[in-house]
Amino acid sequence: MSAATSARVVTFGTSRGADVAAVDCSLDEAGRAGFTLVAGTVTVPVQLRLHGVHQVSNALGVAAVALSSGMPLTDGGEALSAAEPRSR
């Protein structure tokens, strides 16, 4: 779909080919995802406080928007690690 727009496209996913990627994903004993956030040559460790590996994709979407808006990747990684669930 990126070929169909003149807008800037930022990709995210678990592939190193993505503009914003998660590598080395794992779950802790409570089922919370941890991963290394990668954008270009910058890497940041992230330990989510949210349960489930499916939260990695959500976190990557947030990181891609934050990075595109000018937030440094390190700040984005810290914010993701600090985010807490809003519901049980």
Side-chain angles (χ1 to χ4, degrees):
M1 294 301 297
S2 63
T5 183
S6 60
R8 180 170 176 238
V9 174
V10 178
T11 61
F12 62 91
T14 55
S15 164
R16 284 217 185 240
D19 297 319
V20 178
V23 297
D24 303 326
C25 297
S26 62
L27 293 176
D28 69 9
E29 62 282 347
R32 297 170 298 207
F35 58 93
T36 301
L37 182 61
V38 180
T41 60
V42 180
T43 63
V44 179
V46 174
Q47 180 59 56
L48 298 177
R49 296 180 185 188
L50 307 169
H51 295 91
V53 71
H54 65 284
Q55 298 293 354
V56 173
S57 181
N58 296 334
L60 288 175
V62 170
V65 170
L67 189 62
S68 294
S69 299
M71 178 182 272
L73 192 69
T74 53
D75 292 352
E78 289 174 6
L80 288 170
S81 292
E84 296 190 10
R86 303 297 285 174
S87 65
R88 289 189 271 155

